[in-house]
Structure formats: structure tokens, C-alpha cells
Amino acid sequence: MTGRLEGKRTLITGGGSGINFAIAKRFIEEGAIVSVADLNPERAQAVEALGGRFAVVDAGDVAGVEAWVAAEAEALGGLDVIVAGAGYELVANALELTVEQWDAHMAVMLRGPFVLFKAAIPHLIAAGGGSLIGLGSNLAFAGLNNFTSYVPAKHGLIGLMRVLAMDFAKDGIRANALCPGVIDTPLVRRQLDVPNADELLALWKSGSFFNRLGKPEEVAAGAVFLASDESSFVTGSALMVDGGYTAQ
Ligand SMILES: NC(=O)c1ccc[n+]([C@@H]2O[C@H](COP(=O)([O-])OP(=O)(O)OC[C@H]3O[C@@H](n4cnc5c(N)ncnc54)[C@H](O)[C@@H]3O)[C@@H](O)[C@H]2O)c1
């Protein structure tokens, strides 16, 4: 039996942890050939143990991303699927957030996917098509207090995926956003290091119709669909994996 992603040469940024790590794991189980870029070198072993390739790359570093894409395209003999997943949260209102912090955040969260996809698209064209997946968020469709740069970056990503979908459909390339709600990952757990953690956790849970956090594997299942040929007529879309958060 072959997997749903058999032989698909895949790049994943931020694949060392959380949702993107779950995507890497599931993709490898489905037969994909996976290469991960992450800022954190300590995650190399975990990715390699899955059977994935690993490189330390800052998704906000233009030259670094370009060099990584070129090297992996060469090593894998081409590219089929690209997942722009690297991201981090920055919690500050507009008076607290510095212009430098805004620029640095945008460089990873919005310019990062643009640079990654721009570098990869020629390789997908050469392969006869492929799938671009941007990690969006429920916060691509809703605001959240103090997420001054995060919310605009995720909103912007939806626009980027729509434009890429239009421009490169002729080349057999599909582009979609994958939009998690609150998912139980290290990123979310870090925010619970506060005195009112129980209250905060209860609030997050109540944002979903199931009164719980999502699991990284539930988001990875959406990524498998968007990467596979089963989603051949799906492009320019945003797949919500948010337990209903944005439906209320
Ligand atoms: N967890 C959630 O509830 C949630 C909800 C909606 C969207 N998201 C999005 O999903 C993605 C993954 O989030 P997660 O919760 O799994 O986070 P996480 O912190 O568990 O994992 C993120 C990974 O990205 C890496 N990373 C961060 N900045 C990087 C950079 N500049 N270059 C390369 N790698 C970098 C980190 O080292 C880490 O391994 C992010 O884009 C996030 O915005 C998460």
C-alpha cells in the first residue's frame, strides 16, 4: 500500500516543533520526503529520527531561505510541496510594540512565506505543479487584543495565498492557507506561564464548540489533504481547523 503523499518532496519551515513537527511526522508516514528548516538546532535529532532532513534556517533571513531552498531542491531532485509554518507570537499593544519588533515579526510571519514560496515556485513549475501551504490561523479572520503584528501578518497571509493561487494555477500549482484555532503546542503552553493560567485555558477551550484545545495531529490531517492530489480542485482557500472558533 502506498501513502497519500508517496514521493512528494516537501519543505517545511518551523518543522521542529508543534503543528509543523506533526505535519512533518504525518507526511513521512504518508510517504513524503521531508526537509525541515527551523531556528532551533536542538530539534534536529527529533526530525531526523522521523526520517526527515533538518537544517538550521531563520525563516526571516532572505539569503538563508533562498540558499536552503536551492540546496534542498538539488538534494531531493526537485520540489512538490512547500509548507510555510515558521512563526511565533508577540503580545504587545500598539503603544508597546516597537517599529523594530513589528518589522522583525513581519519578516518571519509574512515576508518569510513570500520569500520561501518565491524561491520554491520555479522548482514546482519544473516538476509540473505542486502545492503551497501557508500556516494561517483563526486570527487570519478575527482580531485579538495585543496581537498587533500577529493578526495583520495572518490576515496578510490569506491574501498572499489567494494571489499565488491565481497567478500560478496555469502552472499546476495550488496555494491554500491552513488555519488552526488554539492548538495544544509549546507555543500555546508558553503563554500559560501566568498566574491566571486556569482562567486563560478555560477561555481558549470555550472558543471551540468542543470545549477543548485542538491537537497538532488534527491540523496535520488538513495539511495532508491540501498537499495531496485529493485536493486537486482546492486553491485560494482557507481550511479552518479551529473547532468552530470562526463560525460563531
Ligand atoms: N498553536 C496554535 O494555537 C496556533 C494557532 C494558529 C496558528 N498557529 C501557527 O502555526 C505555526 C506553528 O505554531 P506552533 O503552535 O506549532 O508553534 P511552536 O512554537 O510549537 O513551533 C514553531 C516552530 O517554529 C520555529 N520558528 C520560530 N521562528 C522561526 C524562524 N524565524 N525561523 C525558523 N523557524 C522558526 C520554532 O523554533 C518552532 O520549532 C505558526 O505559524 C503559528 O502562528 C498556531
Side-chain angles (χ1 to χ4, degrees):
M1 208 179 97
T2 58
R4 290 165 67 191
L5 302 177
E6 204 59 43
K8 290 207 186 284
R9 299 156 297 185
T10 301
L11 301 185
I12 305 175
T13 63
S17 172
I19 292 168
N20 301 306
F21 182 76
I23 292 174
K25 181 171 186 293
R26 182 71 200 283
F27 273 35
I28 290 168
E29 288 165 2
E30 293 290 350
I33 300 151
V34 171
S35 180
V36 161
D38 200 287
L39 206 48
N40 183 0
E42 288 170 17
R43 297 301 296 163
Q45 213 179 0
V47 171
E48 285 162 4
L50 298 176
R53 294 164 62 85
F54 185 91
V56 177
V57 180
D58 181 348
D61 170 16
V62 176
V65 170
E66 288 171 348
W68 175 65
V69 171
E72 292 311 287
E74 171 87 25
L76 305 182
L79 297 173
D80 304 296
V81 179
I82 312 295
V83 181
Y88 64 97
E89 288 183 353
L90 188 50
V91 183
N93 74 28
L95 299 181
E96 296 155 354
L97 188 73
T98 67
V99 172
E100 290 73 22
Q101 284 175 316
W102 166 281
D103 282 345
H105 205 199
M106 286 294 172
V108 173
M109 306 287 286
L110 188 53
R111 193 186 70 188
F114 161 66
V115 169
L116 173 69
F117 294 141
K118 180 177 168 63
I121 284 169
H123 299 287
L124 268 64
I125 292 173
S131 173
L132 306 174
I133 300 171
L135 254 296
S137 172
N138 52 347
L139 299 180
F141 297 95
L144 185 64
N145 53 311
N146 295 319
F147 276 51
T148 311
S149 46
Y150 188 96
V151 164
K154 293 299 189 188
H155 276 66
L157 186 75
I158 300 297
L160 175 64
M161 302 321 290
R162 287 174 173 160
V163 174
L164 295 175
M166 292 183 81
D167 286 344
F168 298 101
K170 64 179 181 359
D171 300 300
I173 294 175
R174 298 179 296 102
N176 294 286
L178 178 61
C179 296
V182 188
I183 309 298
D184 195 349
T185 68
L187 174 144
V188 158
R189 287 280 156 189
R190 279 193 295 274
Q191 292 172 66
L192 289 174
D193 193 17
V194 289
N196 64 337
D198 288 349
E199 211 178 294
L200 197 55
L201 188 59
L203 180 73
W204 288 342
K205 288 182 178 175
S206 71
S208 109
F209 297 170
F210 306 115
N211 198 33
R212 65 169 175 85
L213 304 189
K215 301 176 197 148
E217 295 74 23
E218 293 175 306
V219 184
V224 170
F225 172 66
L226 292 178
S228 79
D229 301 336
E230 292 163 38
S231 57
S232 50
F233 203 53
V234 180
T235 198
S237 82
L239 176 57
M240 308 310 297
V241 188
D242 68 352
Y245 183 102
T246 45
Q248 55 197 313

